[in-house]
Amino acid sequence: ETAVFQTPNYHVTQVGNEVSFNCKQTLGHDTMYWYKQDSKKLLKIMFSYNNKQLIVNETVPRRFSPQSSDKAHLNLRIKSVEPEDSAVYLCASSYWNSDYTFGSGTRLLVI
Amino acid sequence: GDSVTQTEGPVTLSEGTSLTVNCSYETKQYPTLFWYVQYPGEGPQLLFKVPKANEKGSNRGFEATYNKEATSFHLQKASVQESDSAVYYCALGEMGYKLTFGTGTSLLVDP
């Protein structure tokens, strides 16, 4: 099956902890993205990588860091989470400006 | 920067009635325009895209025309069904590596 796969589906953690989310795409795309979707369903891009190189780095707190081992994998680490980090984190991939394919998201709840 | 404005939801319709979701955009580029649909617990999925001005896109009975003069890309459907209940996003994509999304419009169709 070709798609974008995200793990975990859901994660609950306490303020100050570190979390890491994984994303893998089997579509052969060369660009991967992280988007944040807040409780009002607003979608904002955080990062994008093209062939393992950081292309877009929107204004996000420094506790967020993307990690790419190859063009099929893009992980997201959050050091010392805060309550406002509670959201759905969506991974996506594309080839140049082709159709984006999204994963089903990782839901983070910070308590 | 780029921006997308769309009908504020939620929108509630009865099955069989018509739908219009307004979308306006601002950009200095020549973007491709997209409509995405998101069902609960899933990531956004492409409904259709239109890369050129004055062309129309359509899928599953939904359609929209890329109006460059009016900078609009309104989504329409003549007769909605209960299964159309979802969140709809208008987005623009540049020759680059990110999509700029509108705020999303939640549609609820009563049977």
Side-chain angles (χ1 to χ4, degrees):
Chain A
E1 184 187 2
T2 54
V4 178
F5 301 96
Q6 291 187 238
T7 57
N9 293 327
Y10 189 67
H11 189 78
V12 181
T13 190
Q14 293 182 325
V15 172
N17 284 351
E18 177 176 313
V19 298
S20 188
F21 306 145
N22 300 315
C23 180
K24 170 186 171 183
Q25 57 96 359
T26 57
L27 295 157
H29 289 162
D30 62 356
T31 307
M32 295 184 73
Y33 314 78
W34 279 108
Y35 281 80
K36 180 180 179 181
Q37 185 173 41
D38 64 20
S39 59
K40 296 181 179 179
K41 301 288 189 182
L42 290 173
L43 278 165
K44 289 285 174 64
I45 189 165
M46 301 174 71
F47 305 101
S48 73
Y49 266 76
N50 175 258
N51 283 320
K52 291 169 51 180
Q53 283 202 309
L54 182 64
I55 300 298
V56 171
N57 183 356
E58 295 293 311
T59 305
V60 298
R62 293 182 70 177
R63 60 181 179 278
F64 289 86
S65 59
Q67 298 164 322
S68 178
S69 57
D70 56 54
K71 67 177 186 178
H73 296 83
L74 182 64
N75 299 332
L76 181 67
R77 187 179 75 163
I78 314 173
K79 285 174 61 175
S80 190
V81 294
E82 299 187 6
E84 60 264 32
D85 298 336
S86 294
V88 176
Y89 292 88
L90 288 158
C91 179
S93 71
S94 73
Y95 181 73
W96 184 229
N97 206 25
S98 68
D99 301 343
Y100 292 61
T101 301
F102 284 85
S104 54
T106 294
R107 286 149 186 80
L108 174 66
L109 177 61
V110 180
I111 56 176
Chain B
D2 298 341
S3 68
V4 177
T5 304
Q6 60 181 103
T7 300
E8 197 167 317
V11 173
T12 303
L13 297 173
S14 298
E15 212 168 32
T17 59
S18 66
L19 168 73
T20 298
V21 179
N22 290 330
C23 173
S24 300
Y25 65 91
E26 288 187 25
T27 181
K28 294 181 180 178
Q29 309 286 338
Y30 300 93
T32 294
L33 299 180
F34 302 79
W35 276 102
Y36 277 82
V37 57
Q38 185 178 27
Y39 300 100
E42 299 181 11
Q45 55 185 262
L46 180 68
L47 191 53
F48 57 84
K49 67 177 181 182
V50 180
K52 290 184 181 178
N54 303 319
E55 292 190 352
K56 184 163 76 174
S58 63
N59 187 20
R60 296 191 246 163
F62 292 91
E63 62 181 32
T65 299
Y66 187 156
N67 187 327
K68 185 169 178 287
E69 287 69 37
T71 62
S72 67
F73 191 54
H74 306 320
L75 180 69
Q76 296 180 310
K77 187 173 186 182
S79 176
V80 296
Q81 301 172 338
E82 189 179 2
S83 57
D84 294 329
S85 297
V87 179
Y88 292 83
Y89 290 94
C90 182
L92 67 84
E94 305 168 22
M95 288 299 289
Y97 297 97
K98 69 175 186 179
L99 283 176
T100 300
F101 285 90
T103 51
T105 301
S106 177
L107 171 66
L108 177 62
V109 180
D110 291 330

